[in-house]
Amino acid sequence: FSPPPPQTCGMSPAALTAHPPSPPGHWLFGHLLSFRNDVLGNLVRWSELGPVVQLRLLNKPAFLSTSPR
């Protein structure tokens, strides 16, 4: 007996395991301190990394969608 193949929604296995880019953050607070300083400027800079950006708020992962698509 073999398990059924996972549902990939037409994506390649490499695309399913790849992580979105992430800007450098504080080792403890992650990107939370960036929101205190220049919120709009940081969002604009992070949008240059790609359509989805991975952030860390304290110890929780968060994803920022920078494109309507």
Side-chain angles (χ1 to χ4, degrees), residues 15-37:
L16 292 173
T17 59
H19 293 280
S22 178
H26 188 268
W27 67 274
L28 178 62
F29 300 113
H31 300 96
L32 194 61
L33 297 178
S34 299
F35 285 103
R36 185 179 63 171
N37 299 331

Side-chain angles (χ1 to χ4, degrees), residues 23-69:
H26 188 268
W27 67 274
L28 178 62
F29 300 113
H31 300 96
L32 194 61
L33 297 178
S34 299
F35 285 103
R36 185 179 63 171
N37 299 331
D38 182 15
V39 177
L40 185 58
N42 284 321
L43 291 175
V44 169
R45 279 190 292 281
W46 294 341
S47 71
E48 295 170 357
L49 295 176
V52 177
V53 178
Q54 183 175 1
L55 302 175
R56 194 170 50 85
L57 305 176
L58 294 176
N59 63 347
K60 303 291 183 189
F63 294 92
L64 173 67
S65 175
T66 61
S67 172
R69 293 182 182 202

